[in-house]
Amino acid sequence: FEIENAKITYVDRQSKTRVAVRGFNAEADGDLNLDNLDLDIKLSDDRTTLTVDGTRYIRRLPLAFDGHVYYDYQQEKYVVGDSHIILDGHALTLDGTVQTDTAGVDMDLTYALDSPDVEKLFALIPKDIVSEDIEVKSGSIESNGYVRGRLDKENSPVVACNMTIRDVRSRYARMPEEIEDLCAEFSAYIDAQNPDSSHLAVDIFHFKGLRRKILQFYFHSSFYNSLNI
């Protein structure tokens, strides 16, 4: 099937969520039967606006999806294969499975994020979360990791993340000089069921301020125990 240049508005009064989509286009090709859904899907729009509880998280930005989706009706299991979500040039790749039941969700997903323009990415963060005194001017971010395990009232999945930040320039209104050449490489592992194994490791962290390198360090820490530097 195919949809061209549609307008869609979704409102959930219980969660106070509103999604408005303009210039929506969709293409789907594959199989639909009584047992499963197996589709190659392409979605795009001219602009998307997302508001949750009065906070606008996405403001009139282009959003696209391109990937393969399989769904088994009896097992209530989704399989996402090498699928790409692109928001205003920021690309998120997903691959893995999600299975639901009446009590919770089982997940095994890998992801990768490529954001060549940190300034645009930073602009997506609502101002009530990040101070207006912080300005990000340039830089890039790459990240990858996975989410594995069960999510229900008693369990949370394991989350692993690797992130690389390169050549970020930013300015804080209360500092006399801007920060230059901020670079970082770090990894995080969060397991709520086994907190002793959760940790954050920073391999590289340095930046320049007042035209000189003022900070560079490495540390490995547990989220639940003392910090080791």
Side-chain angles (χ1 to χ4, degrees), residues 182-186 202-207 215-218:
L182 190 153
C183 297
E185 292 183 10
F186 65 87
V202 179
D203 296 321
I204 297 174
F205 187 93
H206 72 78
F207 63 87
L215 181 62
Q216 179 168 330
F217 68 93
Y218 162 87

Side-chain angles (χ1 to χ4, degrees), residues 29-47:
D29 183 23
D31 295 324
L32 290 169
N33 55 57
L34 296 177
D35 297 320
N36 57 62
L37 175 151
D38 192 358
L39 295 175
D40 290 316
I41 300 174
K42 290 184 178 180
L43 308 174
S44 65
D45 65 23
D46 294 332
R47 62 184 186 272

Side-chain angles (χ1 to χ4, degrees), residues 128-149:
D128 57 350
I129 297 177
V130 177
S131 171
E132 295 184 354
D133 292 336
I134 301 175
E135 178 186 6
V136 177
K137 298 182 178 181
S138 64
S140 65
I141 293 178
E142 294 179 5
S143 178
N144 63 76
Y146 60 81
V147 181
R148 293 174 183 161

Side-chain angles (χ1 to χ4, degrees), residues 30-135:
D31 295 324
L32 290 169
N33 55 57
L34 296 177
D35 297 320
N36 57 62
L37 175 151
D38 192 358
L39 295 175
D40 290 316
I41 300 174
K42 290 184 178 180
L43 308 174
S44 65
D45 65 23
D46 294 332
R47 62 184 186 272
T48 296
T49 299
L50 169 64
T51 305
V52 180
D53 197 17
T55 300
R56 187 166 294 178
Y57 288 92
I58 299 176
R59 182 189 297 269
R60 298 180 179 180
L61 295 178
L63 179 65
F65 174 86
D66 185 355
H68 182 82
V69 177
Y70 175 88
Y71 179 65
D72 187 311
Y73 296 114
Q74 292 186 346
Q75 296 186 39
E76 297 185 0
K77 184 176 183 178
Y78 293 89
V79 180
V80 180
D82 194 25
S83 297
H84 307 279
I85 301 171
I86 302 173
L87 176 62
D88 197 28
H90 310 289
L92 176 66
T93 301
L94 295 174
D95 197 348
T97 62
V98 176
Q99 187 167 4
T100 63
D101 56 43
T102 56
V105 182
D106 291 296
M107 293 177 280
D108 187 357
L109 291 171
T110 60
Y111 74 88
L113 172 68
D114 182 11
S115 181
D117 190 338
V118 173
E119 183 179 3
K120 283 187 176 182
L121 181 64
F122 196 79
L124 296 176
I125 303 174
K127 296 303 181 183
D128 57 350
I129 297 177
V130 177
S131 171
E132 295 184 354
D133 292 336
I134 301 175
E135 178 186 6

